[in-house]
Amino acid sequence: MADFMAENNPCGQSILRLVSRGNAIIAELLRLSHFIPPVFRLDGRTEQHKYAEILADFSYFRQQEYFDHNIDSKPDLQELDEELKVNHSDILTRLYLAFESIHKYITDLNRLLEEVEEGVYIQQTIESILLNADGKQLMAEALYLYGVMLLVVDMKFEGVVRERILVAYHRYSAQRTSADSNIDDVCKLLRSTGFEQGPKRPQGYPEAFFGRVPMNAQFVSMLVDRLRSDDLYHQISAFPLPEHRSAALATQAAMLYVCLYFAPSILHSQPAKMREIVDKFFPDNWVISVYMGMVVNLVDAWEPYKAAKMALGNTVEHVFVKELAGKLHVKLTQLNPAVKQFLQEGVLHEEYVLDNIPKMMNVLRDCNVTLRWLMLHTCPVPEGNKKLREKQSKWEGFKKEGCERMRELADVFSGAKPLTRIERNESLQSWFSEMAKQIEQLSAEDSTSAGRKIFQKLESTVGTFGLSGLDRLLCFMLVRELQTFVYSIKSGVLRDPLWQDMFRSLSSMLSPVRATLEHPQRVYSTYLARSSKLWSSSSFTDVLLRIGQIQLLRRLIGYELHTAAKFDSKFLTSALHNLNQALLAAVGEHYHNPERPYPSEDNPLLYELTAYLESTGINHPLSKIYVTTDRLPYIELFVLLFVLSHLSRMHYSKPLGKLQPKKPQEHVDISALVAGVITLLHQFHAEVNELFVALLGQYVRSMIAAR
């Protein structure tokens, strides 16, 4: 048979284009899931009261005349309805086209199968396609991708939100939908399934959802048989050891998991097939990655299916799981020294790699398999009720503080506070008051997403222009904090003769910085003890924490601005990005060769471009210079002692993957502290940064050599 993927093979090319389209649809769904207008969720009481009569689910179609008449008879609802239409028509159209593409995808897949059966593609049948190596891969991916689309839609777009979006699109795009009969089919496919994130799920889910558009049963049966019996991607040859088989077949196992929902009878009542599937694909794993971040625990997923649950029983038996975890722990302790041996400086040169390829491949293979299992099957262990009570107490305290801060901001714009350059603004006053109420409604039970909810409310109310303005306001606050910090060091610490003598002595001890100290523990502990008064009796730590928190918030704002810019003005964003890169390259060439052109001082290009870049989020807050500073003596030593003093009070938390205070009562945000130190160092000459890094390197080398 000729190459199935050849350009002159219309059948292979048709399936290939369909699969490519399926991946693009999923990518679009995942991206659009971050741009669902918050108003369609009707989360708060205020939004429910305001929009409940305008945003309807599919009950709208049962009483359409009543619903439309109610809006037409009330001028305030008409105005609100028109506002929604103007503000959200573009994103509603984009969302509908993505939803419609799912229905078009499965329609085209069914049509392709019909054409194959009818003999449109000469010498091609479903059987012959599934016997071809490329053909069965593409067919399996085509069905699998459709299943992933449905799962993504239900996970990222709640059922009632989907219905509100489709109804709103139908109402606001009446001219188009009247000529487009597809919207009825799209609504039938994507009506709410009743699924919600949580341990419980609707009866018959997701197989009933997967069956809303009928599929060729014979094709599904034959495809599942290929998936459970063949090695579609020829991975077993790359993982020759028997204990690596489940990792070798992981991609195929994820595809089989999804495709089985198109043939639920196998899950329910065919124990022999399920036993075969589990023995081949899930003999030592029960948590699988279905698609880019979508992780499924088969113990929960297959709970409603008798045959599947029974087949999985041996895999999740307590004795077997304990034994398997013990083996992997031993394997991990064996692999660590082997990997460290390879990663020593000077080991991985070309000749060594060529001579040791089999050995290195075995270690890499073992590392990948072991880490994959551990990452999927382990999670941080809860630290007990005490930690939970502390978490609840912190949550309530921060929530109270957040409400108070919002009320203070509302008072600022009331016009009653005697603050310079702040004019009365009733809109901002009412908005901050409303934000305080929204924060009060947040629950600690959903604390993981609470921060994101606050930011989404902020973004949806003030919009991109408001976020850009907020970024400038935070920038002014940052400048003030940096000026205060630098002034405190310059006029206080570095002018005190006692501190000057200490820094002079330390500088002498550490010179030259490329050298290694003989007794580093004694040297560093002595100077850390002498400088401890600086950190205990001053506000340096608090100021740097505030600087870091402002910078982290500005990075988040920049990300949101850049994402919105790419979504709403992709050509402008691309043009600004390319112009910025070209200008940076030109500046770099000018510094290497002064004869090269460079914007003059009276040229507004740099100033105006900077405003555009900041408004579209194309900036790096941590690397900018905000204040002008003089050359301060010993500033690098000051920062070094500051960092080392805090480092000694930290420990590395494996579950969290970051540094944490050794004492729970020390509430230090290490991420904010690091961002604050980085920002501070960037306000000085580049030599200060280089010397600080060299001093840290000396500390690390000396401490390692002393062990």
Side-chain angles (χ1 to χ4, degrees), residues 83-332:
E83 178 186 331
L84 280 175
K85 180 179 179 180
V86 171
N87 291 340
H88 302 299
S89 287
D90 291 343
I91 188 62
L92 289 175
T93 301
R94 187 82 174 268
L95 286 164
Y96 172 76
L97 291 176
F99 293 159
E100 184 185 47
S101 64
I102 302 174
H103 182 267
K104 191 174 187 305
Y105 177 90
I106 186 57
T107 302
D108 290 348
L109 177 58
N110 280 333
R111 184 182 297 114
L112 176 68
L113 296 174
E114 292 173 2
E115 290 175 349
V116 171
E117 288 190 333
E118 293 170 359
V120 173
Y121 303 103
I122 301 174
Q123 296 183 345
Q124 295 287 2
T125 63
I126 293 179
E127 291 83 354
S128 67
I129 294 174
L130 293 179
L131 287 173
N132 181 278
D134 293 328
K136 60 186 174 185
Q137 286 181 15
L138 289 175
M139 279 299 194
E141 290 174 13
L143 184 62
Y144 158 73
L145 289 173
Y146 173 58
V148 172
M149 290 177 206
L150 299 181
L151 293 176
V152 168
V153 162
D154 233 14
M155 290 179 62
K156 301 294 185 179
F157 304 85
E158 299 92 330
V160 67
V161 175
R162 284 201 308 272
E163 292 190 357
R164 290 173 188 147
I165 290 172
L166 288 168
V167 169
Y169 174 80
H170 170 76
R171 293 184 57 245
Y172 298 149
S173 306
Q175 185 175 359
R176 172 174 176 170
T177 57
S178 61
D180 186 1
S181 60
N182 243 7
I183 191 169
D184 294 335
D185 297 325
V186 174
C187 290
K188 290 177 182 177
L189 173 62
L190 298 182
R191 69 182 185 273
S192 176
T193 61
F195 170 80
E196 294 180 358
Q197 297 285 358
K200 295 183 179 180
R201 62 181 183 184
Q203 186 175 1
Y205 180 87
E207 60 267 27
F209 188 25
F210 280 42
R212 287 182 177 178
V213 175
M215 293 287 300
N216 185 318
Q218 183 181 5
F219 161 73
V220 172
S221 177
M222 294 171 64
L223 185 60
V224 169
D225 284 344
R226 291 297 92 197
L227 281 169
R228 68 185 179 88
S229 61
D230 295 356
D231 178 11
L232 260 63
Y233 297 96
H234 312 292
Q235 289 295 300
I236 292 180
S237 60
F239 293 84
L241 295 181
E243 57 265 30
H244 294 171
R245 171 163 293 192
S246 60
L249 298 174
T251 300
Q252 190 169 328
M255 297 170 66
L256 181 57
Y257 164 79
V258 174
C259 292
L260 280 173
Y261 287 119
F262 292 100
S265 61
I266 299 177
L267 294 166
H268 281 291
S269 57
Q270 297 189 30
K273 286 186 178 181
M274 285 307 306
R275 180 74 264 172
E276 178 189 351
I277 289 171
V278 170
D279 288 344
K280 182 176 181 179
F281 296 97
F282 311 110
D284 56 4
N285 64 313
W286 56 94
V287 181
I288 62 173
S289 175
V290 176
Y291 188 91
M292 295 182 69
M294 293 173 56
V295 179
V296 171
N297 188 330
L298 296 180
V299 176
D300 299 328
W302 285 354
E303 175 66 26
Y305 309 102
K306 183 178 180 181
K309 181 180 179 181
M310 186 184 303
L312 193 64
N314 291 338
T315 299
V316 296
E317 187 179 11
H318 177 73
V319 176
F320 173 75
V321 172
K322 186 176 181 180
E323 179 184 353
L324 179 61
K327 289 180 180 179
L328 287 167
H329 175 72
V330 173
K331 177 68 73 174
L332 192 63

Side-chain angles (χ1 to χ4, degrees), residues 11 22-23 46 87 94 166 231 244 339 355 366 397 432 447 456 510 523 549 563 591-592 597 639 699:
C11 182
N23 283 292
T46 303
N87 291 340
R94 187 82 174 268
L166 288 168
D231 178 11
H244 294 171
V339 173
D355 292 341
D366 282 340
F432 281 117
S447 57
Q456 285 178 344
L510 300 182
V523 172
Q549 288 161 355
T563 303
Y591 277 99
H592 287 92
V639 180
Y699 171 79

Side-chain angles (χ1 to χ4, degrees), residues 389-406:
R389 288 195 297 270
E390 290 179 359
K391 177 183 177 182
Q392 180 69 27
S393 176
K394 291 179 185 178
W395 169 266
E396 295 297 335
F398 291 145
K399 186 172 77 170
K400 181 180 178 181
E401 183 180 357
C403 293
E404 291 175 353
R405 295 291 175 88
M406 286 297 165

